[in-house]
Amino acid sequence: MTRIVYVNGRYLPYAEAAIHPEDRGNQFGDAVYEVCEVREGRLTDETRHLARLERSLGELGIPEPMSRAAWGRVLRETIRRNRVRNGLVYLQVSRGVARRDFFFPAPDTLPTVICLARRLSSTKAESQAAKGIAIQSTPDVRWGRCDIKTVMLLPATMAKQRARESGANDAWFVDEKGYVTEGASANAWILDRDGKLVTRALDNAILPGVTRATLLDVLKREGIAVVERPFTIEEAQGAREAFITSATSLVMPVVTIDGKQVGNGAPGLLALKLRAAFHEVAERAPA
Ligand code: PDD
């Protein structure tokens, strides 16, 4: 349960935490965010998440509300006050509050900063990983700058809701050429028929996943080659394995795509091995 929420410098009880109706995040999705895993009370991959936050802010021209060190203090204090040992911490920065106008407000407008932390059951996540998840594909109708971690998540919420209604656990976006871009809130991977690990190269069509970057480090350590190229749903359905990566799903095996079994329909052995190896490489914040 989230008990305390950080809003603009104050730690408020959940029920009292609020932002202004004319917040740019609320009216325009003019905001960026990060989600980090909390594992045994410590942040995973803090440096990469904060670096991406700074990049997202820079791309939108939102002034940096605080230093790296100050972000670290807010994240830790929010985790501590919510007594989260295993779960996530969510950080959002909007361009701030201004009378509604598409044009950016005065540059001295103070960004709105929100941070909340929440427990997640690691038992539940591990039992899901032991079973794998089902994917439904969906046309990628998101905007052309998916590399920025903005809160314009309407297409993602629609895709996930449709996937759930059709009995799947998650969705993969497909671009107009028929290639998978990424998951609705995760990066997409396959182990192709030739035994090559494949994920789409970074460009404006996908979010540069922190988990993706750290998994590339894991693969280097294990001496496993990766090919960064696009793949289709048909190729993924015929692949040996498929999986997704994100701060909250880590490495999550995919066992069906649009109702078709991937491999033998069980979580892939490589995916499970990489899931197990992930925290040996990921940055672990000091206690
Ligand atoms: N989402 N692609 C998209 C569209 C995402 O929203 C996410 C993460 C990722 C994976 O990024 P990372 O490995 O840095 O978590 C890829 C977070 C978890 C969320 O919105 O809850």
Side-chain angles (χ1 to χ4, degrees), residues 33-37 45 48-49 52 88 90 142 146 148-150 153 156 160 173 181-188 205-214 244-250 278:
Y33 77 107
E34 281 298 326
V35 181
C36 300
E37 184 199 21
D45 280 330
R48 278 181 165 145
H49 281 287
R52 186 173 61 188
L88 61 81
Y90 175 90
R142 300 177 302 164
C146 297
I148 309 173
K149 197 159 170 63
T150 78
L153 294 172
K160 275 181 183 274
F173 288 120
T181 48
E182 61 178 333
S185 60
N187 292 112
I206 69 169
L207 185 79
V210 165
T211 317
R212 178 189 183 282
T214 298
I244 58 169
T245 56
S246 75
T248 45
S249 67
L250 301 173
F278 182 78

Side-chain angles (χ1 to χ4, degrees), residues 134-175:
I135 287 293
Q136 189 189 47
S137 62
T138 183
D140 199 336
V141 295
R142 300 177 302 164
W143 76 314
R145 289 300 307 275
C146 297
D147 56 313
I148 309 173
K149 197 159 170 63
T150 78
V151 297
M152 286 185 284
L153 294 172
L154 185 59
T157 61
M158 288 169 68
K160 275 181 183 274
Q161 182 61 30
R162 268 201 313 267
R164 174 171 286 179
E165 283 164 11
S166 74
N169 303 94
D170 212 336
W172 277 5
F173 288 120
V174 178
D175 68 16

Side-chain angles (χ1 to χ4, degrees), residues 83-264:
R83 302 203 188 110
V84 174
R85 268 194 70 68
N86 291 297
L88 61 81
V89 60
Y90 175 90
L91 189 57
Q92 183 178 312
V93 184
S94 85
R95 201 182 301 276
V97 178
R99 185 194 157 108
R100 189 173 184 282
D101 187 345
F102 283 91
F103 296 108
F104 291 178
D108 61 352
T109 305
L110 287 180
T112 303
V113 180
I114 299 161
C115 187
L116 56 87
R118 181 157 293 161
R119 288 179 198 166
L120 290 178
S121 153
S122 33
T123 330
K124 238 191 200 165
E126 291 316 314
S127 78
Q128 182 76 77
K131 288 197 299 244
I133 59 168
I135 287 293
Q136 189 189 47
S137 62
T138 183
D140 199 336
V141 295
R142 300 177 302 164
W143 76 314
R145 289 300 307 275
C146 297
D147 56 313
I148 309 173
K149 197 159 170 63
T150 78
V151 297
M152 286 185 284
L153 294 172
L154 185 59
T157 61
M158 288 169 68
K160 275 181 183 274
Q161 182 61 30
R162 268 201 313 267
R164 174 171 286 179
E165 283 164 11
S166 74
N169 303 94
D170 212 336
W172 277 5
F173 288 120
V174 178
D175 68 16
E176 68 285 357
K177 291 193 186 126
Y179 291 112
V180 172
T181 48
E182 61 178 333
S185 60
N187 292 112
W189 302 67
I190 58 168
L191 180 64
D192 75 7
R193 275 181 186 278
D194 302 330
K196 291 242 167 60
L197 205 46
V198 179
T199 194
R200 191 173 170 122
L202 296 183
D203 62 12
N204 60 332
I206 69 169
L207 185 79
V210 165
T211 317
R212 178 189 183 282
T214 298
L215 191 65
L216 291 174
D217 291 347
V218 174
L219 295 167
K220 201 179 269 171
R221 190 191 73 160
E222 304 283 323
I224 300 170
V226 184
V227 185
E228 294 186 58
R229 66 164 174 84
F231 55 85
T232 62
I233 286 291
E234 294 66 39
E235 185 181 5
Q237 287 168 328
R240 293 187 193 177
E241 297 188 18
F243 59 89
I244 58 169
T245 56
S246 75
T248 45
S249 67
L250 301 173
V251 178
M252 181 58 72
V254 167
V255 291
T256 72
I257 301 171
D258 292 343
K260 287 219 176 92
Q261 271 191 9
V262 178
N264 61 6

